[in-house]
Amino acid sequence: MQKLYEEVENKNIVKNDLVDLTIGESLKIKAYPLSVLKKDDAFFFIGKENYDKFLFVISAGKENGLLNEFEGELIDAGKDVTVKKCNLSTKNRKAVQKIFPHTVPVVLGLCNSFGCGDRLGVANAGHIRAIKQSSFRPILAQQSIRELTRTNRTPDDVMDAAVWAVLQEGYKDGFGSDADHLKTFEDIDLMLNAGFTMFTFDPSEHVDNEADNYSEDQLKQKLNEIDWSGLQDTSADAAKRYVDMTFNISERLSLTIKESDFLRAYAKYGNAIAHIKKMYDYLASKADKDTFEIEVSVDETESVTSPFEHFFFANELNRLGVKYVSLAPRFIGDFEKGIDYKGDLNLFKTEYEKHLDITKYFGSYKISLHSGSDKFSAYRVIGSLKGAYTHVKTAGTSYLEALRVVAAKEPALFRDILDFCRDLYETEKRSYHVSADINKVKPANQYSDTELIELFNQNDARQVLHVTFGKVLTEKDSSGQFLFKDKIMKCLVENEETHYEFLEKHFLKHLECFK
């Protein structure tokens, strides 16, 4: 073990292909070499028996206090060597985190970061292999309350998967954890208790999407419905800050605020800002300020966030003392789920530059792009612009890569999944921003095995598969057995390296857009 540990520490091993280890006199274990760690006289690594993974703790002698920190099966390997085989459980994850600081998620702060949502809990190793080849820092534990509900997972499940992947891949450069799309105090408590460090507040239920269409009289009436106490403000004081004021943001962007702009911004976002302030104050009362960071999301709204509305939103958060690391506006064009950006890229660039200028004006946060899966053309535009920080958030694209593995390795299973998704699409699409035409996705028996794989390059099929993930992963038959989840997981476990290769290739395609 010592020799393998030194090889890893000296970076003489760069690929994480399983190796055969002989422990003591006769115990043989397959190990991920990059996972080998040492603390005092004990070695730790992730090993595999058949298709099952375990944490192995090896100690010379019979007594070692570290062994007692873990739940598992003691194995006498002879030669005065003790081995403990431990399940990859939440309790054992927490024990690892007490010993090895690099397995604890951190506050990433102002840097280019990439969110890698993992709905199945087996994708993060592939994410890490891609992110190590980029300048981005990863957010590995990332899940929204909506996704947790649809997949029947817990925050600890998400954190467990991320930490075990970090250990398996020997990743020591720091990773973040995103409690995504939080709407209530209960949401905050749930994710905080699992050790999450980034909290994305989603005030969409407090945004008035009709504000863009109101007359001036209607807007004035709406001003009476604003939570002014929550904003620690009055309408008169707010008007003094904005109406007929000019803000010189940059050489190319100057904002002169008319009364109608002021009224519309408050009607649209005033109550949302008050809600975010309440969420922030609640979180700050529960955790030390240097142990968390905040993202504010206004992307899941129907109307585009104008440059003034972005400025207004950021300015008001700053006035209220809300410290945030990133903000996700609703951009011009369409950021639909699972496919490339739809819209005029020249116009997108022009508008994005204005949003960048606003972040530079305040100098304290990065722009976040949600529904970030596969937005390659938009990312190439963003990658060409320098001088600001970006956060990208993905989730569905990793799930689609898992299904791509199923299509490649078990086409019969994938055919069943495809037909199941076709039947559900019209119902499941209601809570997503998608435009797939179900008529362009044929019944599965009309595709050859090769054509099944090609479906992952077709927008309609990608979205049909994307939005139905919840039912695919939770539906059970009459006997209480999962229809598909266990079969999908078995396929991914048995074809682990193929899964990682697909993920690495696909995420590098995202990351290379920013070079």
Side-chain angles (χ1 to χ4, degrees):
M1 283 302 302
Q2 180 67 32
K3 182 179 179 181
L4 180 59
Y5 170 72
E6 290 173 356
E7 290 286 295
V8 172
E9 286 294 292
N10 294 329
K11 297 185 175 10
N12 294 329
I13 298 176
V14 293
K15 290 196 68 177
N16 210 19
D17 296 334
L18 285 165
V19 298
D20 292 318
L21 294 181
T22 300
I23 309 298
E25 295 176 343
S26 59
L27 181 62
K28 296 185 183 299
I29 304 172
K30 290 186 178 294
Y32 293 90
L34 296 184
S35 71
V36 176
L37 295 168
K38 185 179 182 182
K39 177 68 175 179
D40 300 332
D41 292 327
F43 292 95
F44 301 76
F45 65 88
I46 301 292
K48 208 170 186 181
E49 289 186 354
N50 297 318
Y51 293 114
D52 296 322
K53 294 181 184 179
F54 300 92
L55 170 70
F56 288 90
V57 186
I58 300 175
S59 173
K62 303 295 183 183
E63 298 295 330
N64 190 309
L66 287 176
L67 290 173
N68 298 327
E69 298 294 319
F70 297 89
E71 288 184 340
E73 174 190 356
L74 280 173
I75 302 172
D76 189 347
K79 290 189 176 179
D80 206 28
V81 174
T82 301
V83 177
K84 201 167 202 179
K85 184 175 77 172
C86 311
N87 289 322
L88 304 187
S89 64
T90 297
K91 181 173 182 178
N92 287 333
R93 179 259 294 175
K94 291 180 178 179
V96 163
Q97 289 180 304
K98 288 180 180 178
I99 300 170
F100 299 108
H102 71 272
T103 64
V104 179
V106 297
V107 172
L108 294 183
L110 277 177
C111 64
N112 289 321
S113 51
F114 207 99
C116 306
D118 179 8
R119 291 169 178 167
L120 292 166
V122 290
N124 280 154
H127 297 149
I128 291 169
R129 294 182 186 191
I131 213 84
K132 286 167 72 173
Q133 302 174 59
S134 78
S135 61
F136 279 69
R137 298 186 72 188
I139 290 181
L140 298 175
Q142 174 197 291
Q143 201 104 88
S144 67
I145 299 298
R146 178 174 63 187
E147 288 171 330
L148 288 172
T149 301
R150 291 188 175 183
T151 58
N152 289 337
R153 299 180 80 201
T154 68
D156 277 324
D157 291 336
V158 178
M159 187 63 71
D160 291 348
V163 171
W164 294 125
V166 165
L167 188 62
Q168 175 184 305
E169 296 300 307
Y171 186 74
K172 299 179 181 179
D173 292 335
F175 69 99
S177 53
D178 181 6
D180 195 17
H181 285 292
L182 308 181
K183 298 183 178 183
T184 67
F185 294 163
E186 291 76 17
D187 292 345
I188 291 173
D189 289 337
L190 186 69
M191 305 306 273
L192 187 64
N193 291 337
F196 281 74
T197 54
M198 176 175 164
F199 296 80
T200 299
F201 293 158
D202 177 0
S204 58
E205 293 177 0
H206 303 270
V207 174
D208 189 338
N209 285 301
E210 297 301 316
D212 288 348
N213 303 316
Y214 291 147
S215 67
E216 192 155 325
D217 286 341
Q218 287 175 308
L219 290 172
K220 288 178 180 178
Q221 178 60 37
K222 288 292 179 181
L223 216 58
N224 298 321
E225 301 174 14
I226 301 300
D227 180 9
W228 291 107
S229 63
L231 291 172
Q232 301 175 14
D233 203 5
T234 66
S235 59
D237 288 342
K240 290 177 184 177
R241 287 199 305 279
Y242 292 108
V243 178
D244 296 329
M245 299 295 289
T246 296
F247 300 92
N248 295 312
I249 305 301
S250 67
E251 290 183 1
R252 63 186 167 199
L253 180 61
S254 181
L255 300 172
T256 298
I257 314 307
K258 298 181 294 186
E259 184 181 27
S260 60
D261 297 324
F262 157 76
L263 292 171
R264 206 171 306 279
Y266 269 96
K268 188 174 181 180
Y269 289 130
N271 288 330
I273 293 168
H275 177 70
I276 289 169
K277 170 62 173 172
K278 292 173 184 175
M279 294 279 281
Y280 178 81
D281 286 348
Y282 181 82
L283 176 58
S285 73
K286 295 283 187 172
D288 294 335
K289 64 180 180 180
D290 59 347
T291 63
F292 67 86
E293 56 190 348
I294 297 302
E295 175 168 290
V296 176
S297 165
V298 291
D299 70 299
E300 291 205 359
T301 57
E302 296 174 14
S303 56
V304 171
T305 307
S306 71
F308 167 60
E309 288 168 343
H310 178 172
F311 171 84
F312 161 74
F313 213 107
N315 197 49
E316 287 302 298
L317 291 177
N318 287 340
R319 181 183 67 81
L320 289 167
V322 176
K323 306 298 182 184
Y324 54 100
V325 73
S326 53
L327 188 148
R330 168 68 164 86
F331 291 105
I332 196 165
D334 289 317
F335 277 70
E336 293 187 12
K337 296 296 185 181
I339 64 174
D340 204 346
Y341 173 79
K342 295 169 70 174
D344 184 329
L345 285 171
N346 290 325
L347 181 58
F348 174 78
K349 181 177 181 180
T350 298
E351 291 300 302
Y352 195 88
E353 286 175 325
K354 296 175 184 177
H355 288 291
L356 278 185
D357 287 346
I358 294 167
T359 68
K360 294 175 185 178
Y361 177 87
F362 290 107
S364 59
Y365 63 99
K366 49 193 169 183
I367 289 183
S368 183
L369 296 108
H370 292 195
S371 298
S373 298
D374 307 279
K375 302 303 181 290
F376 305 115
S377 61
Y379 292 154
R380 283 188 284 271
V381 170
I382 296 168
S384 70
L385 304 173
K386 307 303 179 185
Y389 294 105
T390 304
H391 176 60
V392 179
K393 191 169 296 195
T394 69
T397 201
S398 294
Y399 171 71
L400 291 179
E401 288 306 294
L403 293 187
R404 192 196 298 263
V405 175
V406 177
K409 297 297 184 178
E410 295 191 30
L413 171 59
F414 181 72
R415 282 190 170 84
D416 290 341
I417 294 171
L418 178 60
D419 284 337
F420 181 79
C421 294
R422 288 181 73 255
D423 291 340
L424 286 172
Y425 174 70
E426 294 298 332
T427 300
E428 295 300 298
K429 74 177 185 180
R430 293 172 185 169
S431 59
Y432 287 98
H433 184 41
V434 291
S435 61
D437 181 352
I438 191 63
N439 296 310
K440 293 182 179 179
V441 184
K442 298 183 293 187
N445 63 8
Q446 296 183 28
Y447 294 108
S448 68
D449 287 359
T450 300
E451 288 171 334
L452 288 178
I453 300 173
E454 285 301 312
L455 286 177
F456 291 89
N457 300 320
Q458 200 249 40
N459 286 353
D460 298 282
R462 288 183 67 82
Q463 292 193 333
V464 168
L465 294 168
H466 185 291
V467 303
T468 49
F469 76 91
K471 294 289 187 181
V472 170
L473 297 179
T474 59
E475 197 78 0
K476 295 182 179 180
D477 60 22
S478 58
S479 66
Q481 300 297 310
F482 284 112
L483 276 179
F484 300 115
K485 182 180 179 180
D486 291 341
K487 296 174 184 177
I488 292 171
M489 296 299 291
K490 182 173 181 290
C491 178
L492 296 177
V493 168
E494 292 178 354
N495 298 281
E496 182 178 62
E497 282 304 313
T498 299
H499 186 207
Y500 293 165
E501 287 168 10
F502 281 13
L503 286 163
E504 182 179 358
K505 179 180 178 180
H506 195 59
F507 272 78
L508 283 175
K509 187 177 177 182
H510 285 74
L511 294 161
E512 287 168 352
C513 293
F514 295 93
K515 289 184 178 179

